[in-house]
Amino acid sequence: GENELPLCIPGEVRADSLASTKPVLLWASTLNAGARDLGDAVAAAVAGGISVTDAAPSRLTSLPRTSRSSRLSALLPSLPRRSDEATHMLLYLNRSTWAGDGGEALAEQVRAARRARLPLVMAHENDAARGGCIFGHFFEVTPRDLIVDGLYNDIAVGCHSDPHRQVSIALLAKALGATKQTAQSRVRRVFLAQPTQNRGTEPREQSVGDQVA
């Protein structure tokens, strides 16, 4: 009902207590249906440091072509080389992943990301309302070369329905490098983010008090 309190299990991971100590730009491919929504949910849940883009890193388009990746430049947007490109790729796995005309195109992007050693974070959807399925399904539909090459050797984060969805999001944030932040570390991050000329204009005790409160 409307008056129900959210479920809170002692010791569980909470996304709102996490923050990334290094900037993370997560690539959610437009060929991977649902990836952008999940990535945005992770970015919104943590206390900063994670953002999401649908632009592929330009370094993927500069890799040597193989017979299987000759169409890669057509699948990946042409981008200028920039320092603020994606640091990770999100691969969202549900029943529609690898299906349809976009399945092979997505596989080309995953191959390119793995060749470029772009860190890949996988999320396995378990919520039936979001197209969830058993993990064994992916061994039937994933391109065989990706399976043989060890795509699924790494553990995918299970994404469950509410009330456990937030725990899944927190685990994804941790997979991207987010760590638990104390009140003191949050204050330090805010302080360091201030312009240098403004750091001495306010009493330090006031900043700490405001944050802790």
Side-chain angles (χ1 to χ4, degrees), residues 186-204 206-208 210-211:
R186 286 195 294 270
V187 171
R188 176 174 173 78
R189 193 172 61 252
V190 171
F191 176 74
L192 293 176
Q194 293 177 349
T196 303
Q197 62 270 26
N198 293 336
R199 290 183 184 175
T201 60
E202 297 181 3
R204 184 172 182 179
Q206 180 179 350
S207 298
V208 173
D210 290 342
Q211 292 298 322

Side-chain angles (χ1 to χ4, degrees), residues 28-77:
S29 172
T30 56
L31 298 171
N32 189 190
R36 181 62 192 247
D37 288 342
L38 181 60
D40 285 341
V42 174
V46 300
I50 298 177
S51 53
V52 187
T53 181
D54 55 13
S58 62
R59 62 179 165 137
L60 269 60
T61 65
S62 64
L63 293 173
R65 295 186 180 186
T66 66
S67 60
R68 302 201 61 165
S69 61
S70 60
R71 300 189 308 278
L72 185 59
S73 60
L75 301 172
L76 302 174

Side-chain angles (χ1 to χ4, degrees), residues 13-16 41 45 160-171:
V13 181
R14 293 179 55 86
D16 57 8
H160 301 274
S161 57
D162 292 327
H164 306 295
R165 192 75 176 182
Q166 289 304 309
V167 175
S168 299
I169 288 175
L171 292 174

